[in-house]
Amino acid sequence: MIVWAFPGQGVQRKGMGAGLFERYPRHCAEADEILGYGLRELCLQNEDGRLRDTRYAQPAMFAVGMLTYLAARDDGAAPPDYLAGHSLGELCALCAAGCFDFADGLRLVRRRGELMSAVGGGMLAVVGLTAGELAEALAAEGCADVDLANHNAVRQAVLSGPLSSLNQLGAALRGRPGVRCVPLNVSAPFHSRAMAGAAREFGSFLQAFSFADPVVPVVANVTARPYGPGEVAELLSRQIAQPVAWYDTLRYLRSRGVDELREIGPGRVLAGLWQQALDEPAPAPEPEPEPELDLTPRPAREPASVSARTPAQQLGSAEFRRDYRVRYAYLSGSMYQGIASVAMVLRMAGAGLLGFFGTGGVPPAEVERVLAELRGALGAGGQYGMNLLADPDEPQADQHTVAQYLAAGVRYAEAAGYLAVTPALVRFRFSGCARDTDGRPRAVRHLVAKVSRPEVAAAFLAPPPEAMLGRLVADGALTAAEAETARHLPVAGDLCVESDSGGHTDGGVAFALMPVMTRLRDEAMARHRFAERIRVGASGGLGSPEAVAAAFVLGADFVVTGSVNQCSVEAGTSPEVKELLAGLDVPDTTYAPAGDMFELGARVQVVRKGTLFPARANKLFQLYRQYGSWEEIDEPTRRSVEQTVFRRSFEEVWKETREHYLDTGRPGSVERAERDPRHKLASVFRWYFAYSGRLALSGAAGERANFQVHCGPAMGAFNHVVRGTPMEDWRARHVDEIAETLMSGAAGVLGRLTRPADPSDPSDPCPARPAATKEIRR
């Protein structure tokens, strides 16, 4: 196991961060705007020695620490199992763990530096004495105004206090054999009683911020234990005036099985202290405390808010949360034609969550623009995902898309609609993969494969086919080393079981599919002896806290939502569609043919309330199955289709379709249609599906009867959840708040199953009989 550790103030130096400022220009521009001066110039030039001034040193150290972290992450370093930071470095660790973003981190350290610099004094590192021997020396020299600030190792500590007292003590200690005293490059007595006022003021300042709980455990300076739920503000405030228990932190990490420390930032001070800790006998393993559950009752129809002790962060797989860098084992899935929009992805990232942009039906040039926007906002390898959608007409189309993703540094992809593993999927998953320092195979990219059929799942749960790897190496798409590593990894490290859902669906039932898929996963793990466990997630029908809770009870490691996010402020569809969705009930969806798989008879689930699209689409499919050409259809039926569905002639539709094929580089489709009347019939009928989708996305006036809106019953379920609350209006629904409602609510549902339900209590959303509750717990 590995810990990433961030150093604190005192190791700053001129030239730190060289090469990082050019790599992350957006972050540097953001820092310049917030701080009011040039970050790059401060770090590289250090005019007037400002890096010794706490007001400048703390923002500079924070920024360089975070840019170093981004570089390590983007370069594919093995992700940390724990995070820690020494003093100021703890704010870097919390930022890396998703507790706040880069901009808020800068605001915090700027104010922290201002408050701490207002106190006069300094710090002195003492090497060669134990903490007990230092206490005796302080008493002997009469330095009652000096405090132990940092306990870094058995025989290394840092003292804080007035400069006169530190100078007196240093002079006395330097005469002792084996003792070294080194004044630190700081301008105040940090972590001492002199900082009590600064700590109080900083605590008041923190009240203006909202903090998420860490998605990766962060070991606190004050307690030498991981931050618990809701503890960020309290411990950050206390840390300013209390000692840094770094020695105890290292001992705790070793007791948890951590055997490697990676220092993230300038200098090698923490790496040296870690090496000293390794030279000591290993501490006994320390058991983890049992998680606390929030059992506070809530009204049945009130969306659950995030409690200070919510266990929502503990639902699902901790490894999934670590690898996806999210607070919850929860993703917002892609929706075609950018309905899962840039705004949605950015909103999720800002909340410490991850969403997938919906690339289905989006032209390559627009995908390129989206990638540039996301990379500019979130950085290379940032917290966002992209969709890969199988195209039965152009099965090689995903090769170009994957090339775009790799060039942009995309780390997370969702594969949907695939009936088999393709070379492009294998290339995405295993580009950059390698063995770590322990020889374990590691992939730096994560693929979520959405499946509803066991035979398809089995292909994703296995290593890539040998012949496919050979072709990819021969074509230069993978290196021989990457292919060798890929032989020991599954094609998808995350399998998402897609039950009956909006869009493409096999109408599967989660209660039947989830146990089958988890067994397949277990069999694959045993057969291939993978080093890391494959995660199995759930999607489809997740529109209420109870449904999400049921998914986790069925063994889901994570959940993926779709339909409910379409009715949010951030969704890339029209206000008219959102208004329609906000009024749905559970039965208000039905099935229609899938336009992109029309000839195969594949189905999508769509809204039926307030639109005639399902009836018209099904009629077109019936005609396709019954007739071999347009001319074979009887005249009254042809006239009805042209007047009520197309509202133009068959030939006009074909002309538009033909031009589209030619404009998108598909002349073969034109040649086939002109040679095969039945294929021409299918091509024209498919035009209506594209047309009805465009009408919905634009909210075309007077065209609601033709709106094609992919949606499952989860939408109606969520409308019931938020009825009577501000979120009943879609304008108050934000995609991250939908996630909070579902995940925190699910945690509450599961927590209540630990006690007998009260059928007479209207605030209990799970009024099961005591016998039933006992059965669940058994």
Side-chain angles (χ1 to χ4, degrees), residues 59-85:
M61 280 293 297
F62 173 82
V64 170
M66 290 311 302
L67 296 184
T68 307
Y69 162 78
L70 292 175
R73 184 197 70 185
D74 295 346
D75 290 342
D81 300 288
Y82 287 88
L83 292 165

Side-chain angles (χ1 to χ4, degrees), residues 100-149:
F100 44 82
D101 62 18
F102 181 72
D104 276 349
L106 286 167
R107 296 181 181 100
L108 292 173
V109 296
R110 180 181 63 185
R111 183 57 177 154
R112 185 179 187 269
E114 291 169 351
L115 292 171
M116 296 175 74
S117 67
V119 182
M123 302 181 77
L124 180 73
V126 180
V127 181
L129 296 178
T130 66
E133 290 169 340
L134 265 179
E136 292 174 0
L138 289 173
E141 294 297 324
C143 296
D145 52 357
V146 173
D147 293 330
L148 178 66

Side-chain angles (χ1 to χ4, degrees), residues 537-551:
S539 68
L542 302 179
S544 67
E546 293 82 359
V548 173

Side-chain angles (χ1 to χ4, degrees), residues 4 14 16 21 41 367 404 442 517 551 711 728 731:
W4 286 16
K14 179 181 178 180
M16 66 178 185
F21 307 114
E41 292 73 18
V367 171
Q404 287 182 296
R442 295 272 191 179
M517 297 299 190
C711 183
E728 185 171 4
R731 296 165 188 82

Side-chain angles (χ1 to χ4, degrees), residues 343-358:
M344 186 178 292
V345 172
L346 293 178
R347 179 88 185 197
M348 290 289 284
L353 301 169
L354 188 141
F356 291 96
F357 178 83

